[in-house]
PDB file of all heavy atoms in Angstrom:
ATOM      1  N   VAL P   1     -20.614 -15.420  -0.620  1.00  0.00           N
ATOM      2  CA  VAL P   1     -19.472 -14.616  -0.196  1.00  0.00           C
ATOM      3  C   VAL P   1     -19.612 -13.219  -0.786  1.00  0.00           C
ATOM      4  O   VAL P   1     -19.958 -13.034  -1.900  1.00  0.00           O
ATOM      5  CB  VAL P   1     -18.135 -15.246  -0.727  1.00  0.00           C
ATOM      6  CG1 VAL P   1     -16.938 -14.372  -0.330  1.00  0.00           C
ATOM      7  CG2 VAL P   1     -17.961 -16.665  -0.171  1.00  0.00           C
ATOM      8  N   LEU P   2     -19.292 -12.220   0.089  1.00  0.00           N
ATOM      9  CA  LEU P   2     -19.148 -10.832  -0.337  1.00  0.00           C
ATOM     10  C   LEU P   2     -17.723 -10.385   0.010  1.00  0.00           C
ATOM     11  O   LEU P   2     -17.246 -10.618   1.150  1.00  0.00           O
ATOM     12  CB  LEU P   2     -20.153  -9.940   0.394  1.00  0.00           C
ATOM     13  CG  LEU P   2     -21.644 -10.132   0.040  1.00  0.00           C
ATOM     14  CD1 LEU P   2     -22.477  -9.290   0.980  1.00  0.00           C
ATOM     15  CD2 LEU P   2     -21.897  -9.760  -1.393  1.00  0.00           C
ATOM     16  N   VAL P   3     -17.098  -9.684  -0.922  1.00  0.00           N
ATOM     17  CA  VAL P   3     -15.731  -9.187  -0.696  1.00  0.00           C
ATOM     18  C   VAL P   3     -15.748  -7.674  -1.056  1.00  0.00           C
ATOM     19  O   VAL P   3     -16.283  -7.340  -2.131  1.00  0.00           O
ATOM     20  CB  VAL P   3     -14.698  -9.885  -1.577  1.00  0.00           C
ATOM     21  CG1 VAL P   3     -13.311  -9.376  -1.381  1.00  0.00           C
ATOM     22  CG2 VAL P   3     -14.729 -11.421  -1.297  1.00  0.00           C
ATOM     23  N   SER P   4     -15.126  -6.849  -0.214  1.00  0.00           N
ATOM     24  CA  SER P   4     -15.142  -5.407  -0.533  1.00  0.00           C
ATOM     25  C   SER P   4     -13.806  -4.809  -0.058  1.00  0.00           C
ATOM     26  O   SER P   4     -13.289  -5.104   1.004  1.00  0.00           O
ATOM     27  CB  SER P   4     -16.292  -4.732   0.137  1.00  0.00           C
ATOM     28  OG  SER P   4     -16.287  -3.327  -0.172  1.00  0.00           O
ATOM     29  N   ASN P   5     -13.334  -3.911  -0.839  1.00  0.00           N
ATOM     30  CA  ASN P   5     -12.225  -2.998  -0.451  1.00  0.00           C
ATOM     31  C   ASN P   5     -12.773  -1.590  -0.607  1.00  0.00           C
ATOM     32  O   ASN P   5     -12.523  -0.873  -1.532  1.00  0.00           O
ATOM     33  CB  ASN P   5     -11.023  -3.228  -1.418  1.00  0.00           C
ATOM     34  CG  ASN P   5      -9.885  -2.295  -1.094  1.00  0.00           C
ATOM     35  OD1 ASN P   5      -9.857  -1.617  -0.077  1.00  0.00           O
ATOM     36  ND2 ASN P   5      -8.899  -2.241  -1.996  1.00  0.00           N
ATOM     37  N   PRO P   6     -13.580  -1.221   0.376  1.00  0.00           N
ATOM     38  CA  PRO P   6     -14.255   0.095   0.279  1.00  0.00           C
ATOM     39  C   PRO P   6     -13.279   1.250   0.616  1.00  0.00           C
ATOM     40  O   PRO P   6     -12.194   1.039   1.202  1.00  0.00           O
ATOM     41  CB  PRO P   6     -15.329   0.026   1.380  1.00  0.00           C
ATOM     42  CG  PRO P   6     -14.700  -0.848   2.433  1.00  0.00           C
ATOM     43  CD  PRO P   6     -13.894  -1.851   1.650  1.00  0.00           C
ATOM     44  N   PRO P   7     -13.652   2.437   0.261  1.00  0.00           N
ATOM     45  CA  PRO P   7     -12.889   3.620   0.666  1.00  0.00           C
ATOM     46  C   PRO P   7     -12.876   3.697   2.179  1.00  0.00           C
ATOM     47  O   PRO P   7     -13.965   3.588   2.801  1.00  0.00           O
ATOM     48  CB  PRO P   7     -13.617   4.828   0.098  1.00  0.00           C
ATOM     49  CG  PRO P   7     -14.419   4.224  -1.038  1.00  0.00           C
ATOM     50  CD  PRO P   7     -14.785   2.862  -0.618  1.00  0.00           C
ATOM     51  N   TYR P   8     -11.741   3.801   2.819  1.00  0.00           N
ATOM     52  CA  TYR P   8     -11.645   3.800   4.310  1.00  0.00           C
ATOM     53  C   TYR P   8     -10.721   4.812   4.925  1.00  0.00           C
ATOM     54  O   TYR P   8     -10.525   4.806   6.114  1.00  0.00           O
ATOM     55  CB  TYR P   8     -11.274   2.403   4.762  1.00  0.00           C
ATOM     56  CG  TYR P   8      -9.995   1.837   4.265  1.00  0.00           C
ATOM     57  CD1 TYR P   8      -8.749   2.295   4.717  1.00  0.00           C
ATOM     58  CD2 TYR P   8      -9.972   0.829   3.307  1.00  0.00           C
ATOM     59  CE1 TYR P   8      -7.568   1.783   4.249  1.00  0.00           C
ATOM     60  CE2 TYR P   8      -8.818   0.305   2.827  1.00  0.00           C
ATOM     61  CZ  TYR P   8      -7.603   0.783   3.264  1.00  0.00           C
ATOM     62  OH  TYR P   8      -6.418   0.257   2.788  1.00  0.00           O
ATOM     63  N   ILE P   9     -10.221   5.699   4.146  1.00  0.00           N
ATOM     64  CA  ILE P   9      -9.310   6.715   4.664  1.00  0.00           C
ATOM     65  C   ILE P   9     -10.131   7.899   5.181  1.00  0.00           C
ATOM     66  O   ILE P   9     -10.970   8.410   4.431  1.00  0.00           O
ATOM     67  CB  ILE P   9      -8.314   7.184   3.603  1.00  0.00           C
ATOM     68  CG1 ILE P   9      -7.460   6.025   3.122  1.00  0.00           C
ATOM     69  CG2 ILE P   9      -7.412   8.295   4.144  1.00  0.00           C
ATOM     70  CD1 ILE P   9      -6.598   6.262   1.903  1.00  0.00           C
ATOM     71  N   PRO P  10      -9.920   8.323   6.408  1.00  0.00           N
ATOM     72  CA  PRO P  10     -10.643   9.505   6.910  1.00  0.00           C
ATOM     73  C   PRO P  10     -10.426  10.726   5.989  1.00  0.00           C
ATOM     74  O   PRO P  10      -9.312  10.899   5.481  1.00  0.00           O
ATOM     75  CB  PRO P  10     -10.030   9.726   8.313  1.00  0.00           C
ATOM     76  CG  PRO P  10      -9.591   8.401   8.732  1.00  0.00           C
ATOM     77  CD  PRO P  10      -9.038   7.740   7.457  1.00  0.00           C
ATOM     78  N   ALA P  11     -11.459  11.504   5.759  1.00  0.00           N
ATOM     79  CA  ALA P  11     -11.400  12.627   4.852  1.00  0.00           C
ATOM     80  C   ALA P  11     -10.204  13.545   5.084  1.00  0.00           C
ATOM     81  O   ALA P  11      -9.541  13.923   4.137  1.00  0.00           O
ATOM     82  CB  ALA P  11     -12.720  13.396   4.940  1.00  0.00           C
ATOM     83  N   GLU P  12      -9.952  13.898   6.327  1.00  0.00           N
ATOM     84  CA  GLU P  12      -8.832  14.796   6.655  1.00  0.00           C
ATOM     85  C   GLU P  12      -7.505  14.162   6.254  1.00  0.00           C
ATOM     86  O   GLU P  12      -6.613  14.888   5.768  1.00  0.00           O
ATOM     87  CB  GLU P  12      -8.844  15.175   8.123  1.00  0.00           C
ATOM     88  CG  GLU P  12      -7.805  16.199   8.525  1.00  0.00           C
ATOM     89  CD  GLU P  12      -8.053  17.543   7.868  1.00  0.00           C
ATOM     90  OE1 GLU P  12      -9.179  17.919   7.585  1.00  0.00           O
ATOM     91  OE2 GLU P  12      -7.001  18.230   7.628  1.00  0.00           O
ATOM     92  N   ASP P  13      -7.334  12.878   6.402  1.00  0.00           N
ATOM     93  CA  ASP P  13      -6.110  12.183   6.077  1.00  0.00           C
ATOM     94  C   ASP P  13      -5.879  12.150   4.553  1.00  0.00           C
ATOM     95  O   ASP P  13      -4.740  12.012   4.122  1.00  0.00           O
ATOM     96  CB  ASP P  13      -6.106  10.780   6.616  1.00  0.00           C
ATOM     97  CG  ASP P  13      -6.017  10.725   8.126  1.00  0.00           C
ATOM     98  OD1 ASP P  13      -5.827  11.787   8.773  1.00  0.00           O
ATOM     99  OD2 ASP P  13      -6.144   9.607   8.707  1.00  0.00           O
ATOM    100  N   CYS P  14      -6.956  12.234   3.769  1.00  0.00           N
ATOM    101  CA  CYS P  14      -6.835  12.208   2.334  1.00  0.00           C
ATOM    102  C   CYS P  14      -6.041  13.398   1.818  1.00  0.00           C
ATOM    103  O   CYS P  14      -5.437  13.321   0.719  1.00  0.00           O
ATOM    104  CB  CYS P  14      -8.228  12.214   1.671  1.00  0.00           C
ATOM    105  SG  CYS P  14      -9.064  10.606   1.825  1.00  0.00           S
ATOM    106  N   ARG P  15      -5.945  14.444   2.601  1.00  0.00           N
ATOM    107  CA  ARG P  15      -5.167  15.645   2.196  1.00  0.00           C
ATOM    108  C   ARG P  15      -3.703  15.447   2.254  1.00  0.00           C
ATOM    109  O   ARG P  15      -2.935  16.194   1.739  1.00  0.00           O
ATOM    110  CB  ARG P  15      -5.589  16.802   3.056  1.00  0.00           C
ATOM    111  CG  ARG P  15      -7.027  17.132   3.027  1.00  0.00           C
ATOM    112  CD  ARG P  15      -7.325  18.328   4.043  1.00  0.00           C
ATOM    113  NE  ARG P  15      -8.699  18.434   4.322  1.00  0.00           N
ATOM    114  CZ  ARG P  15      -9.494  19.299   3.717  1.00  0.00           C
ATOM    115  NH1 ARG P  15      -9.050  20.072   2.832  1.00  0.00           N
ATOM    116  NH2 ARG P  15     -10.762  19.294   4.057  1.00  0.00           N
ATOM    117  N   GLN P  16      -3.298  14.335   2.984  1.00  0.00           N
ATOM    118  CA  GLN P  16      -1.844  14.162   3.254  1.00  0.00           C
ATOM    119  C   GLN P  16      -1.325  12.834   2.698  1.00  0.00           C
ATOM    120  O   GLN P  16      -0.315  12.342   3.160  1.00  0.00           O
ATOM    121  CB  GLN P  16      -1.660  14.140   4.793  1.00  0.00           C
ATOM    122  CG  GLN P  16      -2.164  15.385   5.463  1.00  0.00           C
ATOM    123  CD  GLN P  16      -2.347  15.196   6.971  1.00  0.00           C
ATOM    124  OE1 GLN P  16      -1.671  14.372   7.522  1.00  0.00           O
ATOM    125  NE2 GLN P  16      -3.203  15.948   7.590  1.00  0.00           N
ATOM    126  N   LEU P  17      -1.997  12.327   1.681  1.00  0.00           N
ATOM    127  CA  LEU P  17      -1.558  11.024   1.151  1.00  0.00           C
ATOM    128  C   LEU P  17      -0.325  11.153   0.232  1.00  0.00           C
ATOM    129  O   LEU P  17      -0.075  12.170  -0.326  1.00  0.00           O
ATOM    130  CB  LEU P  17      -2.716  10.415   0.349  1.00  0.00           C
ATOM    131  CG  LEU P  17      -3.944  10.076   1.150  1.00  0.00           C
ATOM    132  CD1 LEU P  17      -5.116   9.687   0.262  1.00  0.00           C
ATOM    133  CD2 LEU P  17      -3.645   8.970   2.139  1.00  0.00           C
ATOM    134  N   GLN P  18       0.399   9.998   0.121  1.00  0.00           N
ATOM    135  CA  GLN P  18       1.533   9.950  -0.783  1.00  0.00           C
ATOM    136  C   GLN P  18       1.098  10.107  -2.220  1.00  0.00           C
ATOM    137  O   GLN P  18       0.003   9.768  -2.628  1.00  0.00           O
ATOM    138  CB  GLN P  18       2.232   8.626  -0.552  1.00  0.00           C
ATOM    139  CG  GLN P  18       2.765   8.445   0.807  1.00  0.00           C
ATOM    140  CD  GLN P  18       3.122   6.928   1.043  1.00  0.00           C
ATOM    141  OE1 GLN P  18       2.461   6.049   0.510  1.00  0.00           O
ATOM    142  NE2 GLN P  18       4.067   6.747   1.943  1.00  0.00           N
ATOM    143  N   ALA P  19       2.003  10.659  -3.047  1.00  0.00           N
ATOM    144  CA  ALA P  19       1.707  10.964  -4.436  1.00  0.00           C
ATOM    145  C   ALA P  19       1.164   9.717  -5.203  1.00  0.00           C
ATOM    146  O   ALA P  19       0.197   9.823  -5.966  1.00  0.00           O
ATOM    147  CB  ALA P  19       2.894  11.511  -5.127  1.00  0.00           C
ATOM    148  N   GLU P  20       1.785   8.524  -4.934  1.00  0.00           N
ATOM    149  CA  GLU P  20       1.342   7.341  -5.684  1.00  0.00           C
ATOM    150  C   GLU P  20      -0.095   6.973  -5.285  1.00  0.00           C
ATOM    151  O   GLU P  20      -0.814   6.364  -6.108  1.00  0.00           O
ATOM    152  CB  GLU P  20       2.318   6.205  -5.524  1.00  0.00           C
ATOM    153  CG  GLU P  20       2.491   5.687  -4.120  1.00  0.00           C
ATOM    154  CD  GLU P  20       3.632   6.315  -3.331  1.00  0.00           C
ATOM    155  OE1 GLU P  20       4.075   7.429  -3.738  1.00  0.00           O
ATOM    156  OE2 GLU P  20       4.000   5.794  -2.302  1.00  0.00           O
ATOM    157  N   VAL P  21      -0.465   7.204  -4.045  1.00  0.00           N
ATOM    158  CA  VAL P  21      -1.876   6.891  -3.633  1.00  0.00           C
ATOM    159  C   VAL P  21      -2.834   7.854  -4.311  1.00  0.00           C
ATOM    160  O   VAL P  21      -3.934   7.448  -4.679  1.00  0.00           O
ATOM    161  CB  VAL P  21      -1.981   6.939  -2.097  1.00  0.00           C
ATOM    162  CG1 VAL P  21      -3.390   6.696  -1.656  1.00  0.00           C
ATOM    163  CG2 VAL P  21      -1.048   5.946  -1.430  1.00  0.00           C
ATOM    164  N   LEU P  22      -2.433   9.088  -4.433  1.00  0.00           N
ATOM    165  CA  LEU P  22      -3.297  10.123  -5.010  1.00  0.00           C
ATOM    166  C   LEU P  22      -3.592   9.904  -6.503  1.00  0.00           C
ATOM    167  O   LEU P  22      -4.394  10.656  -7.078  1.00  0.00           O
ATOM    168  CB  LEU P  22      -2.718  11.512  -4.778  1.00  0.00           C
ATOM    169  CG  LEU P  22      -2.824  11.940  -3.284  1.00  0.00           C
ATOM    170  CD1 LEU P  22      -2.098  13.271  -3.099  1.00  0.00           C
ATOM    171  CD2 LEU P  22      -4.254  12.074  -2.859  1.00  0.00           C
ATOM    172  N   ARG P  23      -2.946   8.929  -7.146  1.00  0.00           N
ATOM    173  CA  ARG P  23      -3.286   8.589  -8.547  1.00  0.00           C
ATOM    174  C   ARG P  23      -4.674   7.947  -8.609  1.00  0.00           C
ATOM    175  O   ARG P  23      -5.305   7.912  -9.627  1.00  0.00           O
ATOM    176  CB  ARG P  23      -2.260   7.651  -9.100  1.00  0.00           C
ATOM    177  CG  ARG P  23      -0.916   8.292  -9.398  1.00  0.00           C
ATOM    178  CD  ARG P  23       0.006   7.337 -10.095  1.00  0.00           C
ATOM    179  NE  ARG P  23       1.369   7.675  -9.629  1.00  0.00           N
ATOM    180  CZ  ARG P  23       2.310   6.770  -9.477  1.00  0.00           C
ATOM    181  NH1 ARG P  23       2.089   5.484  -9.770  1.00  0.00           N
ATOM    182  NH2 ARG P  23       3.474   7.099  -9.024  1.00  0.00           N
ATOM    183  N   GLU P  24      -5.090   7.414  -7.464  1.00  0.00           N
ATOM    184  CA  GLU P  24      -6.437   6.810  -7.412  1.00  0.00           C
ATOM    185  C   GLU P  24      -7.467   7.905  -7.334  1.00  0.00           C
ATOM    186  O   GLU P  24      -7.212   8.989  -6.724  1.00  0.00           O
ATOM    187  CB  GLU P  24      -6.584   5.943  -6.162  1.00  0.00           C
ATOM    188  CG  GLU P  24      -5.697   4.729  -6.171  1.00  0.00           C
ATOM    189  CD  GLU P  24      -6.078   3.726  -7.199  1.00  0.00           C
ATOM    190  OE1 GLU P  24      -7.273   3.596  -7.497  1.00  0.00           O
ATOM    191  OE2 GLU P  24      -5.196   3.022  -7.691  1.00  0.00           O
ATOM    192  N   PRO P  25      -8.714   7.686  -7.827  1.00  0.00           N
ATOM    193  CA  PRO P  25      -9.745   8.727  -7.677  1.00  0.00           C
ATOM    194  C   PRO P  25     -10.073   8.925  -6.204  1.00  0.00           C
ATOM    195  O   PRO P  25     -10.029   7.945  -5.404  1.00  0.00           O
ATOM    196  CB  PRO P  25     -10.971   8.112  -8.392  1.00  0.00           C
ATOM    197  CG  PRO P  25     -10.403   6.966  -9.169  1.00  0.00           C
ATOM    198  CD  PRO P  25      -9.130   6.558  -8.588  1.00  0.00           C
ATOM    199  N   MET P  26     -10.389  10.091  -5.785  1.00  0.00           N
ATOM    200  CA  MET P  26     -10.706  10.392  -4.391  1.00  0.00           C
ATOM    201  C   MET P  26     -11.894   9.551  -3.903  1.00  0.00           C
ATOM    202  O   MET P  26     -11.937   9.143  -2.766  1.00  0.00           O
ATOM    203  CB  MET P  26     -10.960  11.871  -4.191  1.00  0.00           C
ATOM    204  CG  MET P  26     -10.898  12.342  -2.738  1.00  0.00           C
ATOM    205  SD  MET P  26      -9.377  11.849  -1.811  1.00  0.00           S
ATOM    206  CE  MET P  26      -8.114  12.672  -2.669  1.00  0.00           C
ATOM    207  N   THR P  27     -12.810   9.268  -4.843  1.00  0.00           N
ATOM    208  CA  THR P  27     -14.001   8.445  -4.451  1.00  0.00           C
ATOM    209  C   THR P  27     -13.617   7.042  -4.037  1.00  0.00           C
ATOM    210  O   THR P  27     -14.335   6.327  -3.382  1.00  0.00           O
ATOM    211  CB  THR P  27     -15.008   8.347  -5.596  1.00  0.00           C
ATOM    212  OG1 THR P  27     -14.379   7.859  -6.782  1.00  0.00           O
ATOM    213  CG2 THR P  27     -15.616   9.753  -5.882  1.00  0.00           C
ATOM    214  N   ALA P  28     -12.385   6.605  -4.494  1.00  0.00           N
ATOM    215  CA  ALA P  28     -11.888   5.250  -4.074  1.00  0.00           C
ATOM    216  C   ALA P  28     -11.127   5.291  -2.728  1.00  0.00           C
ATOM    217  O   ALA P  28     -10.752   4.264  -2.253  1.00  0.00           O
ATOM    218  CB  ALA P  28     -11.023   4.717  -5.175  1.00  0.00           C
ATOM    219  N   LEU P  29     -10.915   6.501  -2.193  1.00  0.00           N
ATOM    220  CA  LEU P  29     -10.084   6.594  -0.999  1.00  0.00           C
ATOM    221  C   LEU P  29     -10.824   7.138   0.174  1.00  0.00           C
ATOM    222  O   LEU P  29     -10.680   6.664   1.281  1.00  0.00           O
ATOM    223  CB  LEU P  29      -8.917   7.580  -1.342  1.00  0.00           C
ATOM    224  CG  LEU P  29      -7.986   7.205  -2.479  1.00  0.00           C
ATOM    225  CD1 LEU P  29      -7.049   8.314  -2.801  1.00  0.00           C
ATOM    226  CD2 LEU P  29      -7.240   5.889  -2.174  1.00  0.00           C
ATOM    227  N   ASP P  30     -11.674   8.154  -0.026  1.00  0.00           N
ATOM    228  CA  ASP P  30     -12.275   8.921   1.031  1.00  0.00           C
ATOM    229  C   ASP P  30     -13.419   8.125   1.707  1.00  0.00           C
ATOM    230  O   ASP P  30     -14.532   7.986   1.099  1.00  0.00           O
ATOM    231  CB  ASP P  30     -12.773  10.258   0.481  1.00  0.00           C
ATOM    232  CG  ASP P  30     -13.307  11.187   1.573  1.00  0.00           C
ATOM    233  OD1 ASP P  30     -13.643  10.755   2.682  1.00  0.00           O
ATOM    234  OD2 ASP P  30     -13.390  12.395   1.260  1.00  0.00           O
ATOM    235  N   GLY P  31     -13.202   7.732   2.979  1.00  0.00           N
ATOM    236  CA  GLY P  31     -14.218   6.954   3.654  1.00  0.00           C
ATOM    237  C   GLY P  31     -15.084   7.759   4.606  1.00  0.00           C
ATOM    238  O   GLY P  31     -15.724   7.286   5.536  1.00  0.00           O
ATOM    239  N   GLY P  32     -15.090   9.149   4.366  1.00  0.00           N
ATOM    240  CA  GLY P  32     -15.888  10.004   5.194  1.00  0.00           C
ATOM    241  C   GLY P  32     -15.078  10.545   6.391  1.00  0.00           C
ATOM    242  O   GLY P  32     -13.865  10.242   6.510  1.00  0.00           O
ATOM    243  N   GLU P  33     -15.739  11.307   7.177  1.00  0.00           N
ATOM    244  CA  GLU P  33     -15.039  12.040   8.276  1.00  0.00           C
ATOM    245  C   GLU P  33     -14.193  11.111   9.123  1.00  0.00           C
ATOM    246  O   GLU P  33     -13.052  11.419   9.450  1.00  0.00           O
ATOM    247  CB  GLU P  33     -16.082  12.740   9.138  1.00  0.00           C
ATOM    248  CG  GLU P  33     -15.421  13.583  10.204  1.00  0.00           C
ATOM    249  CD  GLU P  33     -16.432  14.388  11.052  1.00  0.00           C
ATOM    250  OE1 GLU P  33     -17.530  14.640  10.568  1.00  0.00           O
ATOM    251  OE2 GLU P  33     -16.078  14.757  12.165  1.00  0.00           O
ATOM    252  N   ASP P  34     -14.691   9.924   9.510  1.00  0.00           N
ATOM    253  CA  ASP P  34     -13.934   9.033  10.368  1.00  0.00           C
ATOM    254  C   ASP P  34     -13.402   7.809   9.638  1.00  0.00           C
ATOM    255  O   ASP P  34     -12.790   6.945  10.232  1.00  0.00           O
ATOM    256  CB  ASP P  34     -14.769   8.608  11.601  1.00  0.00           C
ATOM    257  CG  ASP P  34     -16.042   7.796  11.201  1.00  0.00           C
ATOM    258  OD1 ASP P  34     -16.296   7.654   9.994  1.00  0.00           O
ATOM    259  OD2 ASP P  34     -16.723   7.378  12.100  1.00  0.00           O
ATOM    260  N   GLY P  35     -13.671   7.687   8.322  1.00  0.00           N
ATOM    261  CA  GLY P  35     -13.209   6.572   7.557  1.00  0.00           C
ATOM    262  C   GLY P  35     -14.207   5.358   7.584  1.00  0.00           C
ATOM    263  O   GLY P  35     -13.892   4.336   6.975  1.00  0.00           O
ATOM    264  N   TYR P  36     -15.306   5.493   8.295  1.00  0.00           N
ATOM    265  CA  TYR P  36     -16.195   4.316   8.515  1.00  0.00           C
ATOM    266  C   TYR P  36     -17.512   4.445   7.719  1.00  0.00           C
ATOM    267  O   TYR P  36     -18.366   3.604   7.857  1.00  0.00           O
ATOM    268  CB  TYR P  36     -16.512   4.166   9.990  1.00  0.00           C
ATOM    269  CG  TYR P  36     -15.398   3.587  10.794  1.00  0.00           C
ATOM    270  CD1 TYR P  36     -14.387   4.408  11.269  1.00  0.00           C
ATOM    271  CD2 TYR P  36     -15.365   2.258  11.089  1.00  0.00           C
ATOM    272  CE1 TYR P  36     -13.328   3.914  12.037  1.00  0.00           C
ATOM    273  CE2 TYR P  36     -14.312   1.732  11.887  1.00  0.00           C
ATOM    274  CZ  TYR P  36     -13.308   2.574  12.325  1.00  0.00           C
ATOM    275  OH  TYR P  36     -12.270   2.053  13.060  1.00  0.00           O
ATOM    276  N   ASP P  37     -17.677   5.439   6.894  1.00  0.00           N
ATOM    277  CA  ASP P  37     -18.935   5.609   6.203  1.00  0.00           C
ATOM    278  C   ASP P  37     -19.381   4.357   5.459  1.00  0.00           C
ATOM    279  O   ASP P  37     -20.550   3.892   5.562  1.00  0.00           O
ATOM    280  CB  ASP P  37     -18.921   6.769   5.207  1.00  0.00           C
ATOM    281  CG  ASP P  37     -18.985   8.136   5.894  1.00  0.00           C
ATOM    282  OD1 ASP P  37     -19.084   8.174   7.147  1.00  0.00           O
ATOM    283  OD2 ASP P  37     -18.959   9.149   5.161  1.00  0.00           O
ATOM    284  N   PHE P  38     -18.477   3.751   4.667  1.00  0.00           N
ATOM    285  CA  PHE P  38     -18.836   2.565   3.864  1.00  0.00           C
ATOM    286  C   PHE P  38     -19.017   1.343   4.738  1.00  0.00           C
ATOM    287  O   PHE P  38     -19.878   0.521   4.488  1.00  0.00           O
ATOM    288  CB  PHE P  38     -17.815   2.396   2.748  1.00  0.00           C
ATOM    289  CG  PHE P  38     -17.868   3.427   1.685  1.00  0.00           C
ATOM    290  CD1 PHE P  38     -17.135   4.596   1.864  1.00  0.00           C
ATOM    291  CD2 PHE P  38     -18.668   3.294   0.575  1.00  0.00           C
ATOM    292  CE1 PHE P  38     -17.224   5.628   0.885  1.00  0.00           C
ATOM    293  CE2 PHE P  38     -18.776   4.288  -0.385  1.00  0.00           C
ATOM    294  CZ  PHE P  38     -18.028   5.483  -0.242  1.00  0.00           C
TER     295      PHE P  38
END
């Protein structure tokens, strides 16, 4: 079994996240231009 919660938020959307979400490191959120890099 492999389990993953990869970064999946599109890069542009990362600029508009709620304050509580932004407590996470950007590397844990930003999934690349379309959110599918990982």
Side-chain angles (χ1 to χ4, degrees):
V1 177
L2 292 173
V3 179
S4 180
N5 178 10
Y8 56 76
I9 300 171
E12 186 64 31
D13 292 353
C14 286
R15 301 175 197 263
Q16 306 162 23
L17 295 172
Q18 299 164 328
E20 62 268 18
V21 177
L22 289 173
R23 288 187 214 144
E24 296 290 330
M26 196 53 62
T27 56
L29 303 171
D30 188 341
E33 185 176 338
D34 63 358
Y36 286 83
D37 284 1
F38 291 87

